[in-house]
Amino acid sequence: LVLLLGSPAAFARSREEPISLRRGRPRPEGLGRLVILTNLSKRDDRHEAVKRLAEVRDAKILRFREAKLESVAKKLDREGPEFVALAVTPETVDVNFHYEVLELSRDLDDDAMPDFHFAYFTARTGEDLDGLLDRILRREKEPPESPKAEIVPLTGNGAQVKPLDYVLHFGHGQAWRVDGGLTGPQVGELELPRAPVVLSGACFNGVLSRSYHKCAMQRIFLAPTEIDPADLMTLNWVHAGASAYFAAQEGDRGEMAVAEWEHLRQNACSVGEVMNHQYRLAFTSVYADFTKFPRYVPGARKRMGFYDVMLRGRVSRLLVSDPSFRPLTEPIDDPCQEATVAYDAEAETVVVDVDVHRYAQGHHLNYLPESGRGVFDRRITVRVPLPEDVPEKFGESTVQVQRGEKTLEVLSLIHISE
């Protein structure tokens, strides 16, 4: 059950037909399970790491050719897993392929929310991918007792990153560098001893193959630029020793990385769920008639409104890791809000009670505001377990907001989904 307060009604996904709560994804038997989607040849030197991941997680491997995900959609739907690892060549992944994955993750069932948590399990070489898996398993077996998490500038020789378990950095960026800071090859030489989880708030730092940075400020899409894998920030963080890496393939804003940073610190959840938090917030803010993301086609017109630019930045963010990897054993921060849910069978009413303790930018800032306004507002998003024995369908929802003893006027939408 997802409760959203504060998003303009124009952006909520609406459906004339009722959403079935009983056939939602993931399936109950898929909770906690990982499925691996791969286009790697069995002769590829990265394939051994994929087999190891499947063995460790008791995961099923589903194969597809090239970038044709539709060939495995029905099989994936039958499995209904909570987690999906895309073990692909880095060259497979650009913004258009990422959109294919996002839409697949949204369209397995009837509701507007993602149906699984996903990440790209990829690297330049088999040795790098083996190393990534080794670090993930080591962190799970021997988590740091007092994890060190800091926001640092990615400048100098990068020594400030080495003592950390969790790293957040900002800055203007390209696929191959942080402007005024480290380049991809310099990151690749860091030899990080603590296998950190790294979150980048810099533009284009999540590119895995082709970059569209040349048309960032243009009203049409230009042909993408192929970047040498040896130069890419993403692949160099994996080579240097990160255990998970979050970044955007597009122009980015710091608020997006902050949302992931706060969600991880407050929930100690899997890295896949951290990334999916970003996608959930995006899917609750798309237009009511949304069907699919416009593909990047050279020469095609590009929407440059504030909402559109921010949406592209948000949904272009990706994760390189095993999505089921849970790096924290307990939260670093107290939760900014807490929620309870109860079902009154006699009144046939589901009551969600949300207590907001403090304002947190990553949880409450709506950086996909109504198109044309260009002004951020705040909203509350809550995920709670669905109580047993609730009806198949929900009726109209109501909301009451209080600050202390004072009841506040509600001006915006309540959206209940999933």
Side-chain angles (χ1 to χ4, degrees), residues 95-257:
V95 175
N96 288 334
F97 179 79
H98 184 63
Y99 283 171
E100 296 284 345
V101 182
L102 275 176
E103 290 166 5
L104 175 65
S105 81
R106 188 178 190 257
D107 292 339
L108 292 185
D109 61 19
D110 294 332
D111 65 65
M113 295 293 100
D115 303 320
F116 52 78
H117 308 308
F118 73 88
Y120 296 101
F121 186 66
T122 189
R124 278 196 301 250
T125 65
E127 183 179 1
D128 277 359
L129 198 57
D130 269 324
L132 174 61
L133 181 55
D134 287 342
R135 293 188 295 274
I136 289 169
L137 299 178
R138 186 173 73 247
R139 282 287 302 265
E140 288 181 335
K141 185 177 180 179
E142 301 174 358
E145 293 185 4
S146 300
K148 299 178 181 179
E150 289 186 19
I151 302 172
V152 297
L154 207 62
T155 56
N157 61 6
Q160 65 274 26
V161 177
K162 291 188 176 183
L164 301 178
D165 303 293
Y166 302 92
V167 178
L168 171 61
H169 77 83
F170 301 106
H172 296 291
Q174 307 296 336
W176 60 91
R177 71 173 303 142
V178 172
D179 293 350
L182 296 183
T183 65
Q186 288 171 329
V187 166
E189 295 174 356
L190 290 179
E191 297 184 1
L192 303 171
R194 300 182 69 87
V197 174
V198 180
L199 298 89
S200 170
C203 299
F204 301 105
N205 270 200
V207 169
L208 277 166
S209 61
R210 293 168 289 283
S211 174
Y212 285 85
H213 64 278
K214 288 184 178 179
C215 60
M217 304 302 293
Q218 305 296 320
R219 291 190 174 276
I220 63 169
F221 291 107
L222 303 178
T225 302
E226 296 285 344
I227 310 297
D228 188 329
D231 292 332
L232 288 171
M233 295 292 287
T234 311
L235 300 179
N236 274 297
W237 277 111
V238 174
H239 180 75
S243 57
Y245 180 65
F246 297 79
Q249 301 175 82
E250 254 283 3
D252 197 4
R253 294 269 306 213
E255 296 93 347
M256 302 177 186

Side-chain angles (χ1 to χ4, degrees), residues 215-220 301-310 312:
C215 60
M217 304 302 293
Q218 305 296 320
R219 291 190 174 276
I220 63 169
R301 185 172 176 80
K302 183 171 138 193
R303 295 175 64 98
M304 287 299 291
F306 184 78
Y307 167 86
D308 301 286
V309 171
M310 295 297 286
R312 281 195 296 270

Side-chain angles (χ1 to χ4, degrees), residues 260-297:
E260 296 153 13
W261 180 252
E262 290 185 351
H263 195 76
L264 174 62
R265 292 170 63 98
Q266 293 181 39
N267 294 281
C269 53
S270 68
V271 290
E273 185 175 336
V274 173
M275 188 71 264
N276 215 1
H277 175 64
Q278 195 79 267
Y279 304 146
R280 285 180 175 275
L281 293 177
F283 288 154
T284 57
S285 299
V286 294
Y287 291 99
D289 59 355
F290 172 87
T291 55
K292 63 188 303 183
F293 294 106
R295 299 306 192 256
Y296 286 28
V297 179

